[in-house]
Amino acid sequence: MNVLMCLPRFICIDRTINAWMDKKYQPDLEVAQKQWHHVVKTYANADIQIWFIQPEKGCQDMCFTANAGWYYQGKIILSSFKGKVARARGPEIPCYGEWFRKYRSRLGGIKVISFPRSDVSFEGQGDIVVVGAGGDRKHDVVLMGYGQGRTNYAAAKILREIHDLPEDRLIPIRLVNKKFYHLDTACLFIPPNMLLYYPGAFDEKGLGILDALGLHMISVSEKDAENLVCNGVAVEECGETLLIANRTSVELKTRLQKHGIRVAEVNTSEFLKNGGSVRCLTLFLPEKK
């Protein structure tokens, strides 16, 4: 696995852009950096190759690289922020675009695409969960979150056109809980056939979409959900599945262990103040050749 990360050098809450953020509860910069380095070390121990982008002053949330864009099938589609999110995070995108263009040849010649509609919001990997089928990209189902004033429903049609995907391969799913404003805060696909999800983040139609995927479904409690367990990252390590995530209840750990999944806890308390955890700190890049 290849990932892109960014040191939380300038993390703060200058502009509030989600329900987690409160200017009275600022992240502790020193603690945040220690927690971030712990995630980096955990990734390195799991044989994940890490790339780094320099943080830019004034970009309070640049450490959440998952919202820079979405990489899939040889293309990185840069995010398109709107409204108050654009005022807080818009300056990041030119930085990310420059980085991808600089390293594109070393990343397998990926195509860098600016989002083509200035009137449509798309917040990158944060609102994308790819459900694989034994590693066969031809049978992936891409879920795209919308509904909390972040990624727009209209982005689904644009993403389908860019990747030449039919409607049943890229499916918009509505989020209905303000604390779960991006899809990756509310559900996590764990290969080969498991979905970790919080039912309270979705409406009845959304739950039906998830159920129709035919996966082994594990619902998480409200407490685990609010610890952003679903914002973890699952990797293969020495023949077993490792879930790298924030604080996880004993009950959930036990349920996962029965399915051969080991949990590696990494404390991301300072990042939760800005509304993110492990996966938010991680942008997936092309696989290692």
Side-chain angles (χ1 to χ4, degrees), residues 245-257:
N246 188 42
R247 295 188 306 272
T248 309
S249 67
V250 173
E251 178 188 5
L252 181 57
K253 283 182 187 175
T254 301
R255 291 170 68 193
L256 292 172
Q257 286 170 356

Side-chain angles (χ1 to χ4, degrees), residues 72 130-140 189 191-193 287:
Y72 187 66
V130 178
V131 176
D136 185 354
R137 291 298 188 197
K138 293 181 180 179
H139 297 94
D140 285 345
F189 174 66
N193 65 345
E287 298 292 333

